[in-house]
Amino acid sequence: MSDRSYSVSMTVNGEVVNANVSARTNLVDFLRQDLELTGSHVGCEHGVCGACTVRVDGRIMRGCLLLAVQADGQSVETIEGMAGDPLMTSLQDVFVEENALQCGFCTPAMLLTAHEFISRVVETGAYRPDRDAIRDTISGNYCRCTGYQSIVQAVERVLIQYETAPTKAPNGAPNPGSDR
Amino acid sequence: MTDAASDHLPHTDSPHTVSGPIGHNEPRARARRTVAGKGRYVDDIVLPRMLHVAFLRSPHAHAAILSIDAAEAREAPGIVAVVTGKDMATQCTPYAGSHQLFKRLKAPDQYPLAVDRVLWQGEPVVAVVATSRALAEDAAELVDVDYDILPAVTSFERGTPPAVQLHDDIPDNIALVEQLGTATVGEDFPGADQVFEAQFRFGRITGTTLEPRGIIADYEPREGALTVHCSHQCPHQQQDIFARHLGLPEHKVRVLCPDVGGAFGLKQQLYGDEFAVCALSIMLGRPVKFIADRLESMVSDNHARDHAATARIAVKSDGTIVGMEVDDIFGIGPYSQYPRSSVGEGNHVLRITGAPYRLDDYRARLTMVYQNKSMIGHYRSVGHPVACAITEGLVDLAADGLGLDPADIRRRNFVRSSDCPRVSPGGIDMPDMSLETCFDAVVAAMDLPALRAEQAEMRKKGVYRGIGIAAFVELTASGPEYYGPGGNRITSQEGCHLKLEPSGVVRCWISVTDQGQGTDTGIGQVVASHLGVAMADVRVFSGDSETTPYGGGAWASRGIAIGGEAALRAATALKANILELAAVVLQADAGTLDIVGGRVVDRDTGTERMPLSDVARIGYFRQDTLPPGVQPELSVVRHYVTPRGRKFMATNGVHAAHVEVDTQTGIVRCLGHWVAHDAGVVVNPSLVEEQIRGGVVQGIGSALFEELRYDDDGQMLSGSLADYLVPMASEMPEITVLHVEGTGVEEELGAKGVGEAGVAGSPAAIMNAVNDAIAGAGLGQRIHTLPLSPERILGALGKVPGEL
Ligand code: FES
Ligand code: FES
């Protein structure tokens, strides 16, 4: 099997990373194995479970469906890089309070999905409390442990917090808490 | 939490007094870490010079291995070893999933990799070890196995003599036939006015943990020691197995199960591929890692269910249930799982069918058959959902046949608290049952009369909604009577080791393990409450066979019910030791002292005498100030085994489902789900609630979506998550959980297991709700085949041809 390597350069959690990656390495494997950023998980590697969700140029993507070489020149963020983000911090706190996770394997991806949803809603001001919309949004992320309800509850709680305090809305500010 | 979720309904006056953090929604320490992406699952662990293995798996369901040519693979880049089943068999002793309580169970020997025959598609045949997983997979493709394909046994109907024999001394492929009851299956029911019969079919499903199975074995040749990190529920069990079957001294085997990404009974067994990884590490003297990918998970993880049952219910015209019968055929794949055997699920179907009802004429037969499909093992709520769906399907059938309301027929036939203590005809000890309280709670929470009225209105508009009710009896916290006499080396005890640290805070090591249930936190709450310290001052460790007390780990809903009792005893003992020491220091009588909020106080007045940090400081650093002969004992270990003779801590509950069936597409929409469950004393409501909800979702999955399908040649047709559908958030309803605190627990803590409750009753409730929507509206036949796929529903409606 041919296993050609390519040199890539990307920003990962705010740091410039230059690496040689084989053409077939997907982004989540690159992050996990080469950069030892193990916060993003692998549940299926065929695009169904959502556990590998990461942010690429600010949008959430499935890290198993992107090759590392496709992220060349882009900005990649993982749960580790979101450590100082205020919305993410609120989500993390409320997830713990609401017991919105059990084994936690789905959780980093679920948080990134919730983060994008709330950011979008707060930006457009389009949200009316609607748990079905939250359920639809997180339906790309498989969770086998919870009954989803506590996740819905947690996302709704944070959403309401942000709706009523729009000054705290996230706006793509740099993430000071990156631990890389 | 929603308001309804926090309802707490006492069934009777609780004899259990609780204080401290017990009963509170304490957040989990583990959760704080995992939300930050700091979970440490097996695949996150990297050891120096670690190798990776890929397994070449059988593409055939049944075939003889004629030859294996691995020459080219051995030359491939990065390859360290290519190991066949024959090579592997010399490294270990074989194992068989027998169980001496079922002496007639025929359980053939197994080896980690197939030796000269493959018995299922996905069976590991060759292990390829390389410096990376990708290189191992590349080389596996170069291994050439010559197979002689044999016919596969895939159907398991009785009466058809098998064309193919799977094991040498089992000509009929029948692993076991087991019967119990007042009469032989098929005989008349004396005193019955009517008898109703139905065929039930339960497809194959699997636990589908989000984290696939994984293991790293690290053998240190100079020390002769094997350290294993694995995604597993039972570290001590695995330590015992690895030591015995690999010929290592047990104290040189250590099994660590760090964060585990879901388990559900699936990660409770020995898997050949995982065992092979340990042998490979010994052979190579280097760490070896194996992480199952999802495609191989689907064929190599244990499956569950796969039952075909004929069942009957006998009733009087007034709705009194007089008898029930079940004749269950249970396909278990090619072997009986090790070390627990595959009997568990069938045995539960045999024993708990009919259990919620006051019937006495009960007969049951179980036939376990071998097949060329993946192995069947334990999956959450082992056998309960099958028994419950059969029972509750029959009760609805009888109600329909007699023209009675499904709620009324249940209410009048439930085993009542006043009937207890009772032993069910299936042999279940029922010290107390709270079925009526659970039932009333569910009916009130869902507002059944209002939903019925709405259903009638909607029907007029051509919208078909259904309501399904299902009561269940749940076996939790199993005791030593099952695996002990079974000859299976599985301990029924749990232990807790507590150490007061010099700073006055407490470290706690427990034998029960945590795969997300929050057991660590629940145990911490028990310790904090019974020792008299703050939650923040207790740190709990689990999942390491070397450092934790010997115990079972996680199985049969025993974490809090049994592990919690061990923790309570350890906390009580440590408290007594602390107070004795404090009494010496304070020159007081220990009986006049107590510990509250991390301080020694006067028991009567609550006045502070000294903080625990002072007791600890003196105990560890100022023994010189203590009188001669005083020996501070600031570490204690206590174990707990359930009372002898009690096989399980039986509990119960009631589910109700509200669904809408689209009669054009056959798609079912879940509108609402209610569960009332008797967990005894609830140590942490939010943990119990979301665990029950998680179970409900798994049960709904098996009722509506999940099915591992095979073709006639034994090829799996649903080998990816794109084909095997698991429930996602948008398909799931809001689930109301109601706590009922029943009695009947001898233990001081008073907690019953909760892990099975969600799955036990939800498939039955969904099945009954769907049948209520279609058969109840006179649109089609009842369906008793799970999952209730759109195709099957359209078949029941007569819109597409096909078997139900
Ligand atoms: S691992 Fe990428 S979607 Fe499952
Ligand atoms: S918490 Fe286990 S998969 Fe979601």
Side-chain angles (χ1 to χ4, degrees):
Chain A
M1 171 154 309
S2 91
D3 197 12
R4 265 185 72 185
S5 283
Y6 295 84
S7 75
V8 293
S9 174
M10 62 183 92
T11 313
V12 178
N13 295 337
E15 276 183 23
V16 177
V17 171
N18 296 303
N20 272 321
V21 295
S22 87
R24 64 180 170 179
T25 301
N26 67 35
L27 180 60
V28 69
D29 283 350
F30 173 66
L31 294 169
R32 289 181 52 80
Q33 291 161 16
D34 296 31
L35 304 187
E36 295 180 8
L37 285 164
T38 54
S40 323
H41 297 148
V42 173
C44 69
E45 290 206 80
H46 50 254
V48 181
C49 75
C52 59
T53 302
V54 292
R55 297 206 325 170
V56 179
D57 275 355
R59 301 281 310 275
I60 56 167
M61 305 260 172
R62 307 217 141 176
C64 74
L65 294 184
L66 273 181
L67 295 170
V69 291
Q70 289 177 286
D72 187 26
Q74 312 216 41
S75 159
V76 177
E77 285 162 289
T78 69
I79 191 78
E80 289 97 332
M82 302 287 288
D85 178 275
L87 170 57
M88 183 55 84
T89 305
S90 301
L91 277 166
Q92 288 166 327
D93 290 346
V94 176
F95 264 56
V96 173
E97 275 171 36
E98 290 289 339
N99 192 33
L101 67 150
Q102 290 182 18
C103 77
F105 202 77
C106 68
T107 311
M110 201 64 95
L111 287 165
L112 287 170
T113 301
H115 185 280
E116 182 174 75
F117 174 65
I118 296 176
S119 306
R120 199 171 57 222
V121 162
V122 170
E123 255 163 43
T124 58
Y127 184 73
R128 298 285 165 273
D130 173 4
R131 290 165 78 98
D132 285 344
I134 299 172
R135 284 183 180 274
D136 281 347
T137 298
I138 62 169
S139 275
N141 291 74
Y142 160 34
C143 175
R144 189 58 160 178
C145 303
T146 68
Y148 291 113
Q149 193 161 320
S150 56
I151 300 175
V152 173
Q153 176 78 12
V155 175
E156 187 178 54
R157 258 185 66 189
V158 177
L159 192 45
I160 289 167
Q161 266 176 34
Y162 270 77
E163 276 288 278
T164 50
T167 47
K168 286 202 291 180
N171 52 14
N175 299 311
S178 167
D179 58 356
R180 271 192 62 78
Chain B
M1 294 292 140
T2 54
D3 290 345
S6 56
D7 281 357
H8 194 97
L9 307 152
H11 170 52
T12 44
D13 285 341
S14 171
H16 306 284
T17 50
V18 291
S19 60
I22 288 182
H24 294 258
N25 288 337
E26 293 292 337
R28 296 184 292 133
R30 245 182 230 252
R32 292 199 178 99
R33 188 163 51 77
T34 45
V35 291
K38 298 291 184 190
R40 196 157 189 255
Y41 306 90
V42 172
D43 193 33
D44 301 334
I45 298 170
V46 176
L47 299 180
R49 285 174 49 76
M50 187 170 79
L51 299 169
H52 300 261
V53 60
F55 290 98
L56 182 66
R57 294 177 184 275
S58 169
H60 309 297
H62 194 190
I65 300 172
L66 301 179
S67 66
I68 298 176
D69 178 359
E72 205 183 333
R74 288 200 169 92
E75 300 305 314
I79 293 302
V80 176
V82 180
V83 178
T84 66
K86 280 207 173 78
D87 307 331
M88 185 60 72
T90 62
Q91 300 294 314
C92 61
T93 52
Y95 46 94
S98 58
H99 195 301
Q100 296 308 312
L101 280 180
F102 305 90
K103 286 211 162 43
R104 292 185 299 271
L105 170 64
K106 297 178 189 142
D109 276 355
Q110 300 170 53
Y111 286 93
L113 307 178
V115 178
D116 37 42
R117 224 155 39 106
V118 289
L119 288 173
W120 85 90
Q121 183 229 329
E123 182 170 5
V125 177
V126 178
V128 181
V129 187
T131 50
S132 79
R133 169 72 181 230
L135 292 175
E137 285 182 20
D138 289 347
E141 286 182 15
L142 304 174
V143 178
D144 191 12
V145 184
D146 193 9
Y147 292 103
D148 178 20
I149 300 170
L150 301 167
V153 176
T154 53
S155 86
F156 63 150
E157 301 313 320
R158 200 199 302 286
T160 42
V164 191
Q165 185 176 333
L166 266 59
H167 299 289
D168 282 349
D169 45 359
I170 312 177
D172 52 7
N173 295 329
I174 292 179
L176 178 71
V177 178
E178 196 72 11
Q179 311 215 37
L180 63 85
T182 45
T184 305
V185 165
E187 282 178 13
D188 285 349
F189 289 91
D193 293 323
Q194 290 204 61
V195 176
F196 300 93
E197 179 177 312
Q199 316 289 326
F200 293 84
R201 190 79 175 81
F202 300 86
R204 274 188 172 233
I205 55 175
T206 184
T208 337
T209 57
L210 187 52
E211 180 209 24
R213 290 186 300 105
I215 185 166
I216 303 171
D218 181 13
Y219 182 71
E220 168 46 59
R222 283 153 297 260
E223 232 189 316
L226 177 69
T227 303
V228 179
H229 288 86
C230 60
S231 187
H232 207 276
Q233 297 164 238
C234 311
H236 289 104
Q237 173 199 297
Q238 294 305 89
Q239 172 185 292
D240 171 68
I241 291 174
F242 295 150
R244 275 188 299 120
H245 290 284
L246 292 165
L248 298 169
E250 187 162 2
H251 63 292
K252 295 206 173 164
V253 179
R254 177 183 191 181
V255 178
L256 296 118
C257 307
D259 289 329
V260 171
F264 317 123
L266 188 154
K267 295 174 180 173
Q268 190 191 58
Q269 307 299 334
L270 178 69
Y271 285 88
D273 49 22
E274 295 178 14
F275 188 28
V277 172
C278 297
L280 289 168
S281 180
I282 294 173
M283 292 160 82
L284 301 169
R286 282 176 68 173
V288 180
K289 181 189 252 187
F290 165 63
I291 305 293
D293 72 27
R294 183 59 59 185
L295 304 177
E296 62 184 338
S297 291
M298 301 307 280
V299 291
S300 68
D301 290 358
N302 276 348
H303 297 172
R305 318 301 184 235
D306 209 356
H307 295 259
T310 303
R312 300 194 296 158
I313 184 170
V315 284
K316 287 190 198 284
S317 325
D318 67 357
T320 306
I321 302 173
V322 299
M324 215 177 263
E325 170 182 295
V326 56
D327 187 5
D328 179 31
I329 306 179
F330 171 33
I332 62 165
Y335 294 104
S336 173
Q337 69 173 359
Y338 183 75
R340 290 163 193 259
S341 91
S342 297
V343 177
E345 172 137 325
N347 186 46
H348 282 180
V349 174
L350 211 59
R351 300 202 170 270
I352 54 182
T353 299
Y357 297 100
R358 253 176 305 138
L359 54 95
D360 290 316
D361 189 351
Y362 176 72
R363 348 39 202 280
R365 178 164 62 194
L366 166 71
T367 309
M368 271 167 59
V369 297
Y370 287 117
Q371 319 150 294
N372 293 114
K373 296 179 182 175
S374 298
M375 227 179 298
I376 287 275
H378 290 173
Y379 168 42
R380 193 172 190 179
S381 206
V382 181
H384 291 62
V386 174
C388 180
I390 291 171
T391 306
E392 294 297 65
L394 288 177
V395 171
D396 266 17
L397 199 61
D400 188 36
L402 295 172
L404 295 173
D405 183 288
D408 294 343
I409 192 172
R410 287 184 168 81
R411 194 75 173 75
R412 70 173 291 161
N413 283 288
F414 281 138
V415 171
R416 299 170 189 151
S417 184
S418 56
D419 299 323
C420 297
R422 168 187 161 94
V423 179
S424 81
I428 308 302
D429 281 320
M430 300 173 162
D432 195 20
M433 289 281 109
S434 53
L435 285 157
E436 295 167 289
T437 314
C438 290
F439 179 82
D440 292 344
V442 160
V443 166
M446 71 195 294
D447 197 349
L448 184 57
L451 280 189
R452 283 287 180 214
E454 182 197 76
Q455 178 186 34
E457 275 310 301
M458 300 295 278
R459 267 184 197 170
K460 290 183 205 151
K461 297 181 196 150
V463 175
Y464 296 97
R465 293 190 171 172
I467 297 158
I469 303 175
F472 65 93
V473 167
E474 178 189 5
L475 308 181
T476 78
S478 53
E481 271 76 13
Y482 186 68
Y483 288 124
N488 314 82
R489 290 169 65 94
I490 291 158
T491 184
S492 286
Q493 72 173 15
E494 297 300 347
C496 175
H497 172 191
L498 291 178
K499 179 168 73 174
L500 184 69
E501 294 278 305
S503 60
V505 299
V506 178
R507 279 188 217 247
C508 170
W509 291 264
I510 54 174
S511 62
V512 286
T513 56
D514 189 339
Q515 296 82 33
Q517 305 93 321
T519 310
D520 283 0
T521 300
I523 298 276
Q525 288 175 258
V526 173
V527 169
S529 292
H530 286 267
L531 189 56
V533 300
M535 271 302 278
D537 290 341
V538 182
R539 183 158 157 82
V540 184
F541 304 86
S542 62
D544 179 350
S545 74
E546 187 159 278
T547 59
T548 62
Y550 207 95
W555 53 280
S557 291
R558 47 191 294 119
I560 299 296
I562 296 182
E565 187 68 14
L568 184 154
R569 285 163 186 241
T572 309
L574 179 60
K575 180 174 174 178
N577 290 358
I578 292 171
L579 291 182
E580 256 176 50
L581 182 58
V584 170
V585 175
L586 297 167
Q587 297 187 341
D589 177 352
T592 66
L593 303 173
D594 197 1
I595 303 175
V596 176
R599 294 174 163 77
V600 176
V601 298
D602 270 326
R603 167 159 287 174
D604 293 337
T605 63
T607 315
E608 178 174 342
R609 301 296 301 274
M610 64 193 296
L612 287 195
S613 53
D614 269 5
V615 184
R617 182 180 54 78
I618 294 166
Y620 288 115
F621 307 128
R622 292 307 308 268
Q623 295 97 339
D624 58 297
T625 65
L626 298 172
V630 172
Q631 173 61 58
E633 293 287 359
L634 299 179
S635 292
V636 302
V637 187
R638 287 294 181 277
H639 287 87
Y640 185 70
V641 186
T642 58
R644 239 54 89 232
R646 187 185 75 191
K647 296 192 187 80
F648 297 99
M649 192 188 280
T651 181
N652 57 237
V654 172
H655 281 246
H658 186 212
V659 304
E660 185 174 304
V661 178
D662 182 329
T663 53
Q664 298 306 310
T665 61
I667 289 172
V668 177
R669 194 154 68 94
C670 297
L671 304 173
H673 201 101
W674 297 262
V675 190
H677 171 253
D678 182 349
V681 168
V682 174
V683 170
N684 185 323
S686 81
L687 296 184
V688 171
E689 282 153 19
E690 202 57 14
Q691 198 184 153
I692 289 182
R693 289 196 185 98
V696 169
V697 165
Q698 289 185 2
I700 295 177
S702 70
L704 295 178
F705 313 116
E706 296 177 41
E707 184 170 28
L708 290 160
R709 286 173 293 109
Y710 282 87
D711 71 10
D712 292 344
D713 297 325
Q715 290 290 319
M716 190 190 284
L717 303 173
S718 44
S720 79
L721 283 185
D723 310 293
Y724 183 84
L725 305 179
V726 288
M728 294 301 211
S730 61
E731 294 146 344
M732 291 299 105
E734 298 279 320
I735 300 162
T736 303
V737 179
L738 307 141
H739 300 294
V740 170
E741 186 182 328
T743 57
V745 188
E746 288 177 46
E747 281 77 356
E748 199 178 331
L749 181 59
K752 305 179 188 180
V754 299
E756 329 298 331
V759 190
S762 47
I766 294 282
M767 180 183 78
N768 283 350
V770 169
N771 281 329
D772 182 42
I774 58 177
L779 297 176
Q781 304 173 51
R782 285 179 178 275
I783 327 175
H784 297 117
T785 298
L786 300 188
L788 299 157
S789 59
E791 191 184 3
R792 289 191 179 119
I793 287 175
L794 292 176
L797 291 167
K799 297 196 171 173
V800 299
E803 265 178 61
L804 294 184

